[in-house]
Amino acid sequence: MRNLLICLISLVSSVGYSNESEKIMNDPGNLLCAPDHLTVGEGFVNPIGFHDATPCFSWRLPLGLEKQTAYQIKVEAGDSQWDSGWVESDQSVWVPYAGEKLNSRQRAEWCVRFRDENGRESEWSESASFELGLLDSDDWQASWIRPSQEVAYSLEPVAFMRREFAMAGELERARLHVTARGVFEISLNGEKVGNDHFANGWTAYENRLDALTYDVTKQLRAGDNRILAKLGSGWFAGRLGFMKFAKPNYYGPHTELLLQLELMYKDGSSEFIVSDDQWQGTFDNQILSSSIYDGEHYDARKSPAGWEAVAVNQDLGTARIAPKPFFSVQVTEELRTLAITEPEPGRFIFDLGQNMVGWAKLNIPVEKDRKVTLRFAEMLDGDKRMYTANYRTAKSTDSYIPSDDGVIEWEPTFTFHGFRYVELSGLPEGVQPEPDWVKGVVLHSDLKQTGHFESSHSKLNQLQSNIVWGQRGNFLDIPTDCPQRDERMGWTGDAQVFCPTSMFNYDCLAFWKSWLGTMRDEQHEDGRIPNIIPDIINMKGAPGWVDAATMIPWEVYVRTGDSEVLEVNFGMMERMVGWYRSQTQDNLIAKMEGWGDWLQPYAKDNKGDTPKELLGTAFYANSLHILEKTARVMGKETDVKKYGAEADAVKAAFARHYFDEKGLLKNAPETQTAYLLAIAFKLIPDEQRQKAAAHLARLVKEADGHLRTGFLGTPYIVPVLEDMGYPELAMELLLKDSYPSWFYSIDQGATTMWERWDSYTHKDGFHPEGMNSFNHYAYGAIGQWMYERLAGLAPDPENPGYKHFFVRPLVVEQLDWARAELETSYGIARSSWKKADGKLILEVTVPPNTSATIEFPDGKKSHTITSGTHQFTLDWNR
């Protein structure tokens, strides 16, 4: 009660309501509120199966406190204890553990306290905990198992495997460790273990397999117990790739399961139930097949039969088996049907109103033996029928065969679809469908939404919604280009342009770090980064694609302050830049292949009109600059000088070869993207940048205020125009509703970002080339500028992770108000502005232990503020 009273007094004091409370708080004898929001590593709260034996700790100061000047951490891990003692520091995030080495399965509890700027101490926090998973392959006593029957894996069958056992004593706790070559679902005593789907996810399986750990203490019972494992082909043994690149069984000829159930008894003894020759398996079960691309087919008339002893493989292989370092795919929402149509007799189309990724959950009447077929589509054609041509060879079809008449509830297990519409056929004759017969189950990696943007402009708000839904649909264990057709792969170019925006919308730190780990595994010996991660196609590297190796670690660092993302990737970054270097002559890229400025409108082909050699030199210089900055963060002064000098040399060569003294492009076609990269990457001297910006503005005006940029140029066009003194032109371009533009797609019905601005038009229908993904996040990169400039909430690279940030609102004629908020590691940061009665009201929230510098839109001198909510009123008659 005393601690609660002190906390309440602290909050009252922070807003200046009580002089008496301030007097109480300034008494050194009073303890401050305890820190809260204790997390370990990349934001994990009390994790089990944790992946990092050298963790970092983070916490938040209570609201109303200004800053921390010292901290003390205590960690207890069995017989081992670590006390940091009082450390004079304002660091409250990413504080490294410095105690004795931690081992697999070890559980630790920790707490923290702090001192404020007046030297007052806080209460100790409540204890937080973490428990390590199996950190090394040597921790596994299990063997790989699979059903022994011979089957055609090309049909993507699902394996069932089972084991019964009796516990040998009174249970204290139980941990289930499991991984697979394939995707798994585990049940104990008839109850699903965990909430994960498509576990263990998709990595470069030949190098790394992620394992998950579950606390199953409450699912076990005295006496007999039963484990049932379902194992799908997933990414491991299912078909992957598109068109000529499609390959079945890419990683291996069959699926396998590795499972270890560790039982700790109250008498101190333990018992391991592992995957071994004591298991039985079968492919003869209700799930006839389940494929990521093609769907799942279920026959309720069947029950598992033909159980036989499993095939056992005791060789764990050379791949690292390590705890999964981020959250698995989970159900995050269910969408309801908004409308039902029947374009032809017996085929009912359920419209969920939103393009989404997941599957359909059925609650429908059925007739015995009559197969119900589910088809999925993102769009309807001109006859209001399902448009599936853009799925290419992906069948994206589920089916269910009932065992009896009645009402069934069903959803698949090992497939997912990208869709807005669900078509049902095979229903009983004469039925009249109800909206609650079909729900859309939304699936993606279980990331916490941390950012929100909103404005007075309804289409901008729809654009923000489309960006968020595009991210949700394409963050299913890895960052994919699209979630619906026979592709769904981790294109690096798409990822690097969208990364900054993604970090505003969701807490993606662990997600990106895991994917970068796969990138390190897949890097070629010559330093190239594949175009796709995990790499299943072995395409050559491309400018703007290989640069994901430098640009993503840097952007993640700036937005989180986690320097580890730079440290572990520095070698990869260096080797990638070394590959660029090997392609140069006189510091210019001499010959370059790649995807160009992909899907530039009105270009000669899909790769755009900007020469690949220009793109290569520009991105080479930019990645060198990132290496220089990274080396500075890491204290590598020799590398700072080396890469800084190399970057300067490449920039000078670029400027000489591609620009004249008037800032006009030479030795290359004039394209918006060429100007944009030169300006954004600061590849030309400052006096030329302004001149080049004028030429860029001329090109935009010649295009009637439209963009002529593809995947590489589009992220920069609005920011560069605004930054170089053309804010009106930037806003005109952003708010365009004619082709090509963000609003144009919205006006054609987009509820996610599209691959092409004109993948579909009301006038002409679907784009004739057929490459029409209606869920493609690359053009959603504009979201970064909406957060950072329209709302004004921008990070400071010199003080990363929002330890200090900028508030730079761009107040424009077309908006009456805009606001954004972001949950940082320190707490909520907000920026909002609105026009009212000739005034501009600016409100800023700064989390404890941070500061922000406001750059006022009226030209008033900038002002730095500390924690709390601050309001400013300016005269505004514009």
Side-chain angles (χ1 to χ4, degrees), residues 410-699:
W410 180 77
E411 53 192 315
T413 306
F414 293 131
T415 190
F416 67 90
H417 311 282
F419 64 100
R420 171 176 171 172
Y421 301 95
V422 183
E423 179 195 82
L424 292 188
S425 60
L427 295 172
E429 296 290 342
V431 298
Q432 293 298 316
E434 300 290 338
D436 61 359
W437 285 13
V438 174
K439 292 181 180 178
V441 177
V442 179
L443 292 161
H444 54 80
S445 293
D446 189 25
L447 308 175
K448 179 181 181 181
Q449 187 164 6
T450 50
H452 302 273
F453 169 88
E454 192 177 11
S455 76
S456 59
H457 199 297
S458 61
K459 283 189 184 178
L460 270 181
N461 296 339
Q462 182 63 53
L463 175 57
Q464 171 66 10
S465 175
N466 291 4
I467 292 169
V468 169
W469 275 100
Q471 180 171 354
R472 294 176 73 178
N474 283 292
F475 274 42
L476 196 147
D477 207 72
I478 67 165
T480 56
D481 61 323
C482 61
Q484 73 296 85
R485 65 190 181 207
D486 55 352
E487 193 165 353
R488 315 184 196 190
M489 298 185 295
W491 287 91
T492 49
D494 306 44
Q496 70 86 359
V497 300
F498 187 68
C499 175
T501 298
S502 77
M503 297 294 292
F504 276 114
N505 294 329
Y506 286 89
D507 179 1
C508 306
L509 171 60
F511 180 88
W512 284 119
K513 288 179 74 173
S514 174
W515 191 64
L516 288 167
T518 304
M519 187 182 294
R520 295 195 300 273
D521 287 340
E522 298 281 37
Q523 187 173 26
H524 291 236
E525 289 186 5
D526 65 1
R528 279 182 306 148
I529 300 298
N531 293 324
I532 293 167
I533 301 292
D535 183 17
I536 63 168
I537 290 180
N538 195 27
M539 288 181 176
K540 295 179 180 179
W545 273 253
V546 298
D547 302 86
T550 53
M551 298 176 79
I552 291 178
W554 181 255
E555 292 293 347
V556 170
Y557 164 72
V558 167
R559 283 157 176 76
T560 65
D562 179 9
S563 60
E564 184 185 60
V565 74
L566 299 180
E567 294 160 5
V568 299
N569 290 300
F570 188 71
M572 173 179 68
M573 298 160 76
E574 286 188 301
R575 290 190 294 276
M576 187 279 286
V577 166
W579 171 75
Y580 265 134
R581 188 183 302 118
S582 71
Q583 309 300 305
T584 62
Q585 182 177 337
D586 298 327
N587 290 315
L588 293 170
I589 297 295
K591 181 66 176 177
M592 182 61 64
E593 300 297 327
W595 298 103
D597 190 23
W598 185 246
L599 296 187
Q600 173 200 326
Y602 298 111
K604 61 182 181 297
D605 61 33
N606 285 339
K607 296 184 179 181
D609 296 329
T610 307
K612 300 179 187 67
E613 291 75 21
L614 185 153
L615 294 172
T617 305
F619 277 97
Y620 172 31
N622 184 60
S623 283
L624 277 168
H625 184 47
I626 290 173
L627 259 184
E628 177 191 5
K629 293 186 293 184
T630 299
R632 183 172 291 110
V633 170
M634 297 171 61
K636 295 177 174 285
E637 292 305 318
T638 300
D639 288 331
V640 171
K641 295 176 182 178
K642 178 174 70 174
Y643 293 121
E646 186 177 358
D648 289 343
V650 175
K651 290 178 182 180
F654 179 93
R656 284 194 305 270
H657 184 74
Y658 287 114
F659 283 85
D660 66 18
E661 67 279 1
K662 297 179 180 178
L664 185 68
L665 266 163
K666 64 180 183 179
N667 297 321
E670 264 200 309
T671 66
Q672 293 179 2
T673 292
Y675 283 113
L676 286 166
L677 297 184
I679 297 168
F681 294 167
K682 298 184 178 180
L683 304 180
I684 52 179
D686 288 344
E687 60 274 14
Q688 279 181 294
R689 289 179 75 232
Q690 195 61 54
K691 295 175 181 177
H695 292 300
L696 169 65
R698 169 177 53 80
L699 291 184

Side-chain angles (χ1 to χ4, degrees), residues 237-466:
R239 74 178 178 103
L240 287 176
F242 59 98
M243 296 180 291
K244 66 180 181 180
F245 303 107
K247 296 179 181 178
N249 315 124
Y250 180 84
Y251 292 100
H254 49 247
T255 55
E256 293 180 301
L257 177 74
L258 191 69
L259 180 148
Q260 189 159 296
L261 174 60
E262 301 183 357
L263 309 175
M264 281 63 75
Y265 296 115
K266 290 186 176 180
D267 64 4
S269 64
S270 62
E271 181 181 13
F272 285 14
I273 307 297
V274 301
S275 50
D276 57 15
D277 59 6
Q278 300 300 302
W279 288 63
Q280 294 180 313
T282 183
F283 287 107
D284 188 2
N285 58 74
Q286 300 97 317
I287 305 178
L288 306 179
S289 67
S290 192
S291 162
I292 286 176
Y293 291 163
D294 294 334
E296 184 162 302
H297 303 280
Y298 190 93
D299 189 344
R301 301 169 302 180
K302 297 173 65 66
S303 58
W307 294 99
E308 297 181 3
V310 295
V312 179
N313 176 10
Q314 295 181 337
D315 181 6
L316 294 188
T318 58
R320 305 184 309 278
I321 303 175
K324 190 172 183 68
F326 71 103
F327 293 110
S328 295
V329 174
Q330 297 194 10
V331 174
T332 61
E333 189 175 355
E334 288 190 359
L335 301 184
R336 296 184 176 274
T337 296
L338 300 184
I340 304 171
T341 59
E342 188 181 8
E344 55 185 293
R347 292 184 179 271
F348 300 97
I349 295 177
F350 294 74
D351 179 5
L352 300 171
Q354 171 65 55
N355 197 4
M356 56 157 283
V357 173
W359 57 55
K361 182 178 183 180
L362 301 184
N363 185 355
I364 58 173
V366 294
E367 290 181 359
K368 181 180 178 180
D369 300 332
R370 183 171 182 171
K371 181 166 69 174
V372 177
T373 300
L374 297 82
R375 297 172 64 227
F376 298 85
E378 295 181 293
M379 300 286 285
L380 301 181
D381 64 20
D383 296 325
K384 303 302 180 183
R385 299 182 183 185
M386 303 285 276
Y387 171 76
T388 59
N390 66 319
Y391 289 6
R392 298 191 300 224
T393 66
K395 297 175 183 175
S396 203
T397 300
D398 298 343
S399 67
Y400 182 98
I401 304 177
S403 58
D404 291 294
D405 296 345
V407 175
I408 59 103
E409 294 183 1
W410 180 77
E411 53 192 315
T413 306
F414 293 131
T415 190
F416 67 90
H417 311 282
F419 64 100
R420 171 176 171 172
Y421 301 95
V422 183
E423 179 195 82
L424 292 188
S425 60
L427 295 172
E429 296 290 342
V431 298
Q432 293 298 316
E434 300 290 338
D436 61 359
W437 285 13
V438 174
K439 292 181 180 178
V441 177
V442 179
L443 292 161
H444 54 80
S445 293
D446 189 25
L447 308 175
K448 179 181 181 181
Q449 187 164 6
T450 50
H452 302 273
F453 169 88
E454 192 177 11
S455 76
S456 59
H457 199 297
S458 61
K459 283 189 184 178
L460 270 181
N461 296 339
Q462 182 63 53
L463 175 57
Q464 171 66 10
S465 175
N466 291 4

